[in-house]
Amino acid sequence: MYSDGGAGEVWVHARAVAIRPIPWLDGFRQPPHAAVMTNPLLLLRNADVYAPDALGLRHLLIGGGKLLWIGETEPQLPAALEVETLDLEGLRLIPGLIDGHVHVTGGGGEAGFASRVPAPMLTRYTTAGVTSVVGLLGTDDAARGTAELLAQVYALRESGLSAWGYCGGYHFPPTTLTGTVRGDIAFAEPLIGVGEVAISDHRSSQPTLDEVLRLASEAHVAGLMTGKAGIVHLHLGDGARGLELVRQALDTSELPPRVFQPTHVNRKKALFEEALALAMRGCHVDITAFPVEEGEDAWPADEALMRYLDSGASPQRVSISSDAGGCLPCFDGEGRVCGMDVGHSGALLETLNALLARGLPLDRALPAFTRNPATLLRLRGKGTIAVGSDADLVALDGEGRAHHVLLGGAMHVRAGVAVVRGMFEHQH
């Protein structure tokens, strides 16, 4: 329930939620989320708020994992409430970043089983200002499956991170829990779509138009049934066919363009131009924050977003993800791995700061990392700072680093130091 407190102030009434320890076997320390919140109410003072729209200096009251109030004048709260106070002293406060393309179980495997990338630990996300992730499978959807992905999504949730996932992976038929994509999305709450389905890539199943259409219809109908995103998240390789299959799907079916979300669209400059044309038709496109060498036929993520925003395409139809935990391989002429890197969620803040260094205002850059993916993926309460939204917040220091990070109102990073770690991360 919401009420107007006057003077431009808005309140939401919510009950504080107590966090109780879960009993664990003797010899194991408490789970990382057991004592995250010591006080149910937190007042953030003097925050320069980007919601992602620029709001200016504000004070915010957090409780029960939600933003309860925001205003220009500091509230007079009863002492009995025992409100903890944190003065941000003018630091920029932004919504927690949403990383919409993460190999939460680890990716890789293209150069043998030893090349399978381990699952990223909790603080790899939180210290990078990432508070929500969408997990997926890639090339290795045989040794790794939807059950393992779902288990890791639940593990991240238990640690305080907001997490969802896609069923399937690169290949046809898609790996599923229930036997169908429609069933997985309908009955597994965290699964919101299917992906990353590979096209225009020598590692793909070389899917036909009919296969892509059938997959997209399954995802779309499941989304209608459940209120979820119901999208097909498409991995784009560097093949000459580019986005041809997506254009054909739009030309020959009744499926809405939003169902198709191509990613890695900045890996080739010509592919990026195809993606811009699809965005004009209503598709949402995803830019990847991977490293690009000087002279390479690709656009770095910051350059790609600048070009997108200057293209005339809807600024709401673009997002930036990291490919965290995924192998970033290069291949020789015979399709064998000749080198590899590993994606990391820190690339999002690096890209955001590169955009600011180019002169793009923060409120214009932020939506691609926050509100846009939340809207497409129907992640309610995410991607914005507003009364009633989830208290996933990042205070940036003067260098653009994550200084304080709150997940559901719980402090995970304080003054640049992770104060909450995953179960198997070493304490320092």
Side-chain angles (χ1 to χ4, degrees):
M1 299 292 294
Y2 301 88
S3 64
D4 187 352
E9 299 175 355
V10 185
W11 291 77
V12 59
H13 303 293
R15 291 182 297 175
V17 179
I19 297 180
R20 298 180 176 87
I22 298 175
W24 288 76
L25 296 174
D26 291 340
F28 284 86
R29 66 181 178 85
Q30 287 289 344
H33 60 291
V36 170
M37 285 185 64
T38 58
N39 200 308
L41 292 175
L42 172 65
L43 178 66
L44 297 180
R45 300 177 60 243
N46 301 311
D48 185 11
V49 176
Y50 288 82
D53 300 320
L55 302 185
L57 208 63
R58 294 288 189 274
H59 310 286
L60 305 91
L61 183 66
I62 294 165
K66 300 286 186 179
L67 178 57
L68 305 180
W69 171 90
I70 182 169
E72 297 182 43
T73 304
E74 187 173 342
Q76 300 301 310
L77 299 170
L81 291 180
E82 298 182 354
V83 179
E84 180 183 352
T85 300
L86 177 62
D87 193 342
L88 295 185
E89 301 179 329
L91 291 181
R92 294 164 295 172
L93 188 70
I94 66 173
L97 304 183
I98 298 171
D99 199 342
H101 184 112
V102 179
H103 293 270
V104 294
T105 61
E110 290 96 336
F113 292 118
S115 68
R116 300 201 317 157
V117 179
M121 294 289 193
L122 174 67
T123 59
R124 295 285 286 175
Y125 304 117
T126 57
T127 57
V130 171
T131 60
S132 297
V133 299
V134 181
L136 42 70
L137 301 174
T139 308
D140 182 5
D141 50 12
R144 287 175 166 137
T146 303
E148 182 184 358
L149 175 77
L150 197 55
Q152 185 63 11
V153 164
Y154 286 135
L156 291 172
R157 287 183 173 189
E158 289 175 9
S159 298
L161 202 73
S162 294
W164 294 266
Y166 295 126
C167 61
Y170 265 30
H171 304 111
F172 284 80
T175 176
T176 62
L177 285 174
T178 66
T180 68
V181 165
R182 188 168 67 248
D184 276 17
I185 298 172
F187 297 116
E189 177 270 321
L191 300 180
I192 59 175
V194 58
E196 58 177 313
V197 179
I199 61 174
S200 298
D201 194 302
H202 64 92
R203 295 166 290 175
S204 77
S205 293
Q206 310 304 317
T208 65
L209 175 61
D210 287 345
E211 286 174 324
V212 170
L213 287 174
R214 181 62 56 87
L215 191 68
S217 67
E218 290 255 317
H220 176 54
V221 170
L224 295 176
M225 293 168 58
T226 59
K228 298 180 185 179
I231 66 168
V232 182
H233 186 68
L234 291 161
H235 162 99
L236 265 296
D238 56 7
R241 287 179 294 172
L243 285 159
E244 178 184 347
L245 271 176
V246 180
R247 289 192 295 272
Q248 291 176 352
L250 295 180
D251 291 340
T252 59
S253 77
E254 299 76 28
L255 290 165
R258 69 167 298 280
V259 173
F260 301 95
Q261 187 199 28
T263 189
H264 312 324
V265 296
N266 51 316
R267 71 182 313 149
K268 292 287 183 182
K269 294 177 180 179
L271 177 65
F272 185 72
E273 295 304 315
E274 292 184 64
L276 290 178
L278 282 182
M280 297 287 190
R281 297 184 63 173
C283 288
H284 184 289
V285 301
D286 187 54
I287 295 166
T288 305
F290 44 46
V292 174
E293 300 293 334
E294 187 174 352
E296 186 178 346
D297 181 24
W299 293 122
D302 58 308
E303 177 71 23
L305 183 62
M306 295 285 284
R307 288 177 174 270
Y308 181 96
L309 295 175
D310 289 341
S311 72
S314 169
Q316 286 81 44
R317 293 186 191 138
V318 63
S319 58
I320 298 179
S321 62
S322 72
D323 212 351
C327 173
L328 307 177
C330 64
F331 297 93
D332 62 21
E334 296 183 357
R336 293 176 299 198
V337 173
C338 56
M340 62 176 286
D341 200 348
V342 176
H344 63 102
S345 285
L348 296 186
L349 270 184
E350 291 172 5
T351 299
L352 180 60
N353 287 316
L355 287 161
L356 300 182
R358 295 171 66 108
L360 190 68
L362 181 56
D363 57 347
R364 197 162 177 232
L366 265 181
F369 302 85
T370 56
R371 186 168 55 201
N372 290 358
T375 300
L376 174 73
L377 302 176
R378 297 178 179 173
L379 307 181
R380 296 168 184 83
K382 305 298 183 184
T384 188
I385 298 177
V387 171
S389 65
D390 292 345
D392 296 342
L393 303 167
V394 178
L396 300 175
D397 67 15
E399 303 299 320
R401 295 170 299 211
H403 190 67
H404 300 309
V405 179
L406 286 82
L407 277 63
M411 189 72 73
H412 274 243
V413 177
R414 184 185 289 272
V417 177
V419 295
V420 177
R421 294 178 177 271
M423 177 63 67
F424 298 102
E425 292 188 271
H426 295 296
Q427 297 284 358
H428 297 289

